[in-house]
Amino acid sequence: IFFVSVRQHRESNYIHTARRIRSGTSVRSARCGALNFGYTPRALRTKIVAVACCSSACRISSRANSPGAISVFLLSYYTAVAFFPIFFQTVQGFTADQANGLLNYYWASNAISLVAAGVLSDRLRVRKPFMLFGAVFAFVVTLLIRHVTPHTDTSYSAWAFLLVCVGIYGGFAFACWMASFTETGEATTPALTAYGLAIWGWLLRGVVAISFLILPQVISSVTPLVNHGAEVKAAATREALYLPTV
């Protein structure tokens, strides 16, 4: 981005030169235009490709389907992977088998919805309506989860239904976003696809690292197990005879 902003005039000249070459204009005249900026014909092709990729990446990252936004959207996925099993056991009172079994509903629905959203989106040749559906459905499901979380008597089937909904909205939103993101890069230049995915992968890992510093403060059921795990285990062993009664 710094490179593009500082050398904007020179970049626009090279992008214009690339377009002239692509449209069939005399290569010699295009090279002559480049030589006025101090570059040799041998370095021309490399310079054009580099500038075009940088400028195109800036344009792509400024669109609505940004990699940073989808990384934040996937916070529900990070939460499910890291904290749901502990949350279901410590807050909702389910056994370890039940907690892990609940996540199977999430994985199954997410896998099916990813394929279904991709097939429907390709057949209808649209992306944004599916992304919008996923976003709106995510908002509704999040409100439902917020409502039932304080109630420790929420049934197993109710949580299974909510996790199926989480898997569905994640599959629809993410599959169509990924298709739209890669298509946007390919529409600019096929060479930009790997560059765009690299930016998304970098931002995704940054969001994950930051979220795992914040989420334990939000989902505090993990903290007692970490800070007092030894005491809890000793008490459970000492009172093992009476725990079934409790």
Side-chain angles (χ1 to χ4, degrees), residues 9-75:
H9 178 72
R10 193 172 279 185
E11 290 167 10
S12 63
N13 173 77
Y14 280 98
I15 293 174
H16 178 66
T17 302
R19 289 174 179 170
R20 290 172 63 188
I21 294 176
R22 184 181 300 176
S23 63
T25 308
S26 171
V27 176
R28 181 178 179 182
S29 62
R31 287 179 175 176
C32 289
L35 287 172
N36 292 333
F37 286 84
Y39 288 90
T40 63
R42 179 174 297 180
L44 174 62
R45 183 179 299 276
T46 302
K47 181 65 177 179
I48 291 174
V49 171
V51 172
C53 286
C54 289
S55 301
S56 301
C58 291
R59 290 197 299 271
I60 291 174
S61 62
S62 64
R63 298 193 177 192
N65 55 347
S66 68
I70 195 66
S71 299
V72 175
F73 178 82
L74 291 175
L75 279 173

Side-chain angles (χ1 to χ4, degrees), residues 41-204:
R42 179 174 297 180
L44 174 62
R45 183 179 299 276
T46 302
K47 181 65 177 179
I48 291 174
V49 171
V51 172
C53 286
C54 289
S55 301
S56 301
C58 291
R59 290 197 299 271
I60 291 174
S61 62
S62 64
R63 298 193 177 192
N65 55 347
S66 68
I70 195 66
S71 299
V72 175
F73 178 82
L74 291 175
L75 279 173
S76 61
Y77 168 76
Y78 316 145
T79 305
V81 171
F83 301 108
F84 269 8
I86 298 176
F87 168 76
F88 287 138
Q89 293 178 65
T90 58
V91 177
Q92 297 299 319
F94 295 127
T95 65
D97 292 339
Q98 290 176 323
N100 289 304
L102 280 172
L103 286 183
N104 290 334
Y105 289 95
Y106 170 76
W107 301 124
S109 62
N110 187 248
I112 294 172
S113 63
L114 282 169
V115 177
V119 171
L120 291 174
S121 180
D122 287 343
R123 177 163 295 185
L124 297 176
R125 298 183 179 181
V126 292
R127 307 294 187 199
K128 292 181 180 179
F130 291 94
M131 296 163 61
L132 180 62
F133 166 77
V136 174
F137 196 28
F139 178 76
V140 174
V141 174
T142 302
L143 290 180
L144 291 175
I145 293 177
R146 181 178 180 273
H147 174 72
V148 302
T149 296
H151 305 285
T152 57
D153 58 344
T154 304
S155 65
Y156 184 90
S157 58
W159 276 113
F161 172 76
L162 289 174
L163 290 179
V164 167
C165 293
V166 172
I168 291 174
Y169 79 64
F172 271 79
F174 179 72
C176 296
W177 174 85
M178 179 59 73
S180 177
F181 182 71
T182 54
E183 288 167 353
T184 302
E186 289 184 60
T188 306
T189 171
L192 194 62
T193 303
Y195 186 78
L197 290 175
I199 293 177
W200 170 67
W202 179 78
L203 288 174
L204 177 65

Side-chain angles (χ1 to χ4, degrees), residues 197-233:
L197 290 175
I199 293 177
W200 170 67
W202 179 78
L203 288 174
L204 177 65
R205 284 154 179 79
V207 170
V208 170
I210 295 173
S211 68
F212 272 76
L213 296 176
I214 300 175
L215 286 177
Q217 309 303 321
V218 178
I219 307 176
S220 57
S221 58
V222 179
T223 305
L225 293 180
V226 175
N227 294 341
H228 307 287
E231 293 88 339
V232 172
K233 185 177 180 180

